[in-house]
Amino acid sequence: MIDFRLSEEHEALRRTVRDFARSEIAPVIGGYYEREEFPYELIARMAEMGLFGLPFPEEFGGMGGDYFALCVALEELARVDSSVAATLEAAVSLGAMPIFRFGTPEQKRRWLPELCSGEALGAFGLTEPGGGSDAGATRTTAKRDGGEWVINGSKSFITNSGTKLTQLVTITAVTGTKPDGTKEISTIIVPSGTPGFTVARKYSKVGWNASDTHELSFVDCRVPVANLVGEAGRGYAQFLSILDEGRIAIAAIGAGLAQGCVDECLRYVREREAFGHPIGEYQAIQFKIADMEVRAHSARLAYYAAASKMSGGEPFKKEAAIAKLVSSDAAMDNSRAATQIFGGYGFMNEFPVGRFYRDAKILEIGEGTSEIQRLLIARSLGVG
Ligand SMILES: Cc1cc2nc3c(=O)[nH]c(=O)nc-3n(C[C@H](O)[C@H](O)[C@H](O)COP(=O)(O)OP(=O)(O)OC[C@H]3O[C@@H](n4cnc5c(N)ncnc54)[C@H](O)[C@@H]3O)c2cc1C
């Protein structure tokens, strides 16, 4: 049976997050964005609401929901602001999820309760200065020395890695060579504050300006061998599967941003007058808004379809790639159209559409660029 209606729980969550985003995020986020400041107060409120524990079982302090619940919350947040949505997405689907999916019982007990509570944030370190798309090209190394891994290397563009709440980053590192001569890549937890682990410069970004992004460096950084996540040599596969899920979450953010553009325009075109009429009376504007609604709707359906396959236990790699592609295109196109509808005010920081315009671009880059999504889709069709 095809049923796109939300369950009562998902609908209640959507309403709660929507109300929160409109009443508490919308009035203040512009200031954080301009100051390029991490919004600790908003993150604390999201933690109180249980958003950081949404898809995790109650035994680890989670809310016992599912991955789709996380996506619904992300869509509603991104409808108002993408920096807070990105912070939640990275904390849950990239920070905590590798430990939940692949960690040892001890690692889950040690880290998940605080990550689920939102009092601590986790980060995910895959991308390196030498490249992010080619995830197997990892140069960071972790050499075994007695009971420790000795890590050397660096990571680029890591979300949530430098906040006061950050407690760990899970990284990929080369831990040896496989019998076929290829790199053995493993996932290792590096707690914040470990000697030799430096949270380096904070990036100045085009968008997501109220989210936290840093470069990381590891120089003879020692962590216990017990910080290995799952088996040695499984890191590459673990990170790819985390990214498959993460793409559905990013698609939800894109759908939210695309819908947020419609929300803003609907208000504006009724108020703004040109040539003696509200601009919403002009068909050129009406058609732009209709196209925007179509794109937001299509993005939502695309991520619902991917999430539905994921929760049904079916393969969803292709659907996740399609959802991310459709949704990031929708976010880009809608934010460009919305900025145009706002005219000169669209270019001013006092209106959210300019922020949406700047925030949309990263959706075509992070967690696999649009080119990589196309490669995955083509591969799933047997081409390439
Ligand atoms: C704000 C922000 C937050 C981020 N957060 C994180 C994070 O938390 N953790 C993390 O690990 N990473 C993070 N990233 C990194 C992000 O995932 C990478 O930037 C992305 O995967 C692309 O990698 P790259 O920048 O090295 O580009 P490259 O891999 O160098 O690609 C450059 C260009 O070449 C294209 N290209 C590459 N290979 C091919 C190919 N085979 N065929 C066709 N085209 C190709 C790409 O599509 C792109 O257009 C973040 C990035 C940003 C900007």
Side-chain angles (χ1 to χ4, degrees):
M1 194 178 86
I2 296 175
D3 186 352
F4 287 101
R5 284 169 304 178
L6 298 189
S7 67
E8 269 177 38
E9 291 82 11
H10 289 136
E11 191 51 53
L13 174 70
R14 177 189 288 285
R15 272 198 303 275
T16 305
V17 178
R18 182 179 299 185
D19 291 346
F20 164 70
R22 286 184 179 167
S23 62
E24 299 190 41
I25 299 177
V28 297
I29 195 65
Y32 285 106
Y33 200 85
E34 277 185 49
R35 297 191 297 275
E36 300 192 6
E37 184 184 329
F38 189 77
Y40 285 101
E41 295 77 6
L42 295 175
I43 299 304
R45 284 284 297 122
M46 287 158 58
E48 274 169 33
M49 291 165 70
L51 300 186
F52 290 87
L54 271 176
F56 301 111
E58 288 167 15
E59 64 171 305
F60 299 120
M63 300 290 280
D66 54 16
Y67 203 85
F68 183 58
L70 171 68
C71 294
V72 168
L74 290 172
E75 183 188 339
E76 289 306 326
L77 292 173
R79 207 164 159 169
V80 169
D81 176 65
S82 290
S83 292
V84 288
T87 301
L88 179 66
E89 193 272 337
V92 176
S93 86
L94 302 180
M97 200 55 87
I99 296 175
F100 175 61
R101 293 261 184 257
F102 310 114
T104 61
E106 177 48 34
Q107 287 166 349
K108 291 180 194 182
R109 268 195 305 276
R110 163 75 184 83
W111 298 108
L112 286 179
E114 267 188 285
L115 296 175
C116 288
S117 74
E119 284 163 20
L121 296 179
F124 174 88
L126 172 68
T127 307
E128 299 196 351
S133 301
D134 183 1
T138 302
R139 287 189 193 155
T140 297
T141 56
K143 294 210 169 100
R144 182 95 188 246
D145 180 22
E148 293 175 321
W149 295 108
V150 185
I151 304 168
N152 282 285
S154 49
K155 298 286 174 182
S156 305
F157 314 133
I158 308 305
T159 306
N160 287 345
S161 58
T163 75
K164 286 187 281 188
L165 307 175
T166 307
Q167 292 235 333
L168 64 94
V169 56
T170 49
I171 60 160
T172 46
V174 179
T175 46
T177 308
K178 288 185 175 174
D180 64 1
T182 57
K183 290 174 180 173
E184 177 192 271
I185 296 176
S186 307
T187 307
I188 296 174
I189 300 170
V190 184
S192 300
T194 306
F197 168 27
T198 308
V199 177
R201 76 186 163 110
K202 174 182 165 191
Y203 294 94
S204 167
K205 305 191 291 274
V206 169
W208 280 8
N209 282 345
S211 80
D212 176 82
T213 321
H214 288 261
E215 194 169 52
L216 307 179
S217 132
F218 304 89
V219 179
D220 293 332
C221 169
R222 289 174 174 269
V223 297
V225 285
N227 284 21
L228 178 74
V229 179
E231 288 167 44
R234 295 290 301 153
Y236 183 62
Q238 289 168 349
F239 267 53
L240 290 189
S241 82
I242 288 294
L243 286 174
D244 281 339
E245 297 178 357
R247 283 171 188 144
I248 307 178
I250 292 284
I253 293 180
L257 193 157
Q259 195 67 57
C261 291
V262 178
D263 296 341
E264 294 300 324
C265 287
L266 288 179
R267 270 196 291 274
Y268 190 73
V269 301
R270 291 187 178 113
E271 290 162 11
R272 179 70 174 176
E273 293 200 355
F275 300 97
H277 296 274
I279 60 173
E281 288 185 13
Y282 298 116
Q283 205 173 50
I285 299 279
Q286 293 164 8
F287 281 14
K288 266 201 181 71
I289 291 181
D291 287 344
M292 288 163 69
E293 178 67 9
V294 169
R295 287 189 289 257
H297 182 80
S298 308
R300 184 173 309 109
L301 291 185
Y303 97 71
Y304 278 18
S308 155
K309 283 212 148 189
M310 180 186 164
S311 64
E314 294 174 59
F316 61 92
K317 189 185 264 300
K318 179 177 80 174
E319 287 72 17
I322 290 174
K324 182 171 184 280
L325 197 54
V326 168
S327 170
S328 53
D329 280 353
M332 279 299 283
D333 290 345
N334 279 15
S335 62
R336 190 173 58 244
T339 305
Q340 190 68 15
I341 286 174
F342 271 66
Y345 289 112
F347 205 62
M348 298 297 130
N349 283 328
E350 65 191 279
F351 288 94
V353 292
R355 178 159 44 86
F356 289 173
Y357 187 59
R358 292 162 65 176
D359 288 341
K361 184 61 202 167
I362 179 61
L363 301 176
E364 294 189 317
I365 298 171
E367 299 199 29
T369 63
S370 294
E371 290 76 17
I372 296 301
Q373 306 314 313
R374 288 188 169 89
L375 280 180
L376 294 172
I377 296 162
R379 240 179 244 160
S380 76
L381 298 171
V383 191

